Amino acid sequence: MLAALGVSRHPLGWRRSPSAAATIGRILAALDGDALDRAVSAYLAGQHRAAESATTGPSHGPSP
């Protein structure tokens, strides 16, 4: 995975960080914008539901 992001091995075994601008550019170019939108939207919706559940408490249904 590191090689795919442009991280190369130093001859002494150290890892070299890739250029920030080049790496960000490659990552953004490889992203599927629609898939990213769906993933972020699903995450935010889940966070919203969790926050609502925490403030309203557990739901027990209608009282008899």
Side-chain angles (χ1 to χ4, degrees):
M1 182 160 122
L2 292 174
L5 294 175
V7 177
S8 59
R9 279 244 182 232
H10 185 274
L12 297 176
W14 305 329
R15 293 237 180 240
R16 264 190 215 164
S17 297
S19 162
T23 300
I24 291 171
R26 279 194 308 272
I27 290 171
L28 291 175
L31 283 177
D32 176 351
D34 292 334
L36 178 63
D37 183 44
R38 287 189 300 271
V40 171
S41 296
Y43 171 78
L44 292 175
Q47 294 297 307
H48 180 70
R49 283 190 298 273
E52 279 187 335
S53 294
T55 58
T56 60
S59 176
H60 297 290
S63 297

